[in-house]
Amino acid sequence: MTAETPTGPLGGHLDDDDYPAYTMGRAAEMLGTTQGFLRAIGDARLITPLRSAGGHRRYSRYQLRIAARARELVDQGTPIESACRIVILEDQLEEAQRLNAQYREAATVTDPPPAD
């Protein structure tokens, strides 16, 4: 077996942050929360788990990080709907900052500062 042709039940998805590898029960256990909490943040559209062939919810590592952040806020007393909105806005801000950094970097490469 080589790294280029992985085999096994995950088919090389061990490093894929977006691969839906975790069942609802396992995800809730990992987060130290209930399955109801995961359903609630799904209903609030914070995360949308993928479904297995049998219709069971499956979560990725990225989704678990998002859920963990929402749980932190809820544990601090923030209502779940507000916590979900905060996490969404934090995620959007992070993405905007990343894009701005890329644009600034591209601008400095195409327009180098004048030589003295």
Side-chain angles (χ1 to χ4, degrees), residues 5-84:
T5 57
T7 61
L10 294 178
H13 295 289
L14 288 176
D15 293 332
D16 186 351
D17 241 11
D18 296 318
Y19 183 74
Y22 304 99
T23 63
M24 177 181 269
R26 181 67 180 129
E29 181 183 314
M30 291 170 69
L31 294 170
T33 190
T34 64
Q35 293 181 14
F37 175 80
L38 291 173
R39 282 188 206 94
I41 62 175
D43 291 344
R45 301 183 194 274
L46 177 61
I47 58 176
T48 303
L50 294 175
R51 298 286 181 148
S52 68
H56 300 282
R57 291 174 177 90
R58 305 286 294 195
Y59 296 88
S60 68
R61 288 188 303 202
Y62 173 75
Q63 289 173 324
L64 294 183
R65 282 196 302 275
I66 297 292
R69 175 64 181 132
R71 181 167 187 257
E72 287 174 16
L73 292 168
V74 169
D75 287 350
Q76 294 170 5
T78 306
I80 196 162
E81 297 83 11
S82 299
C84 290

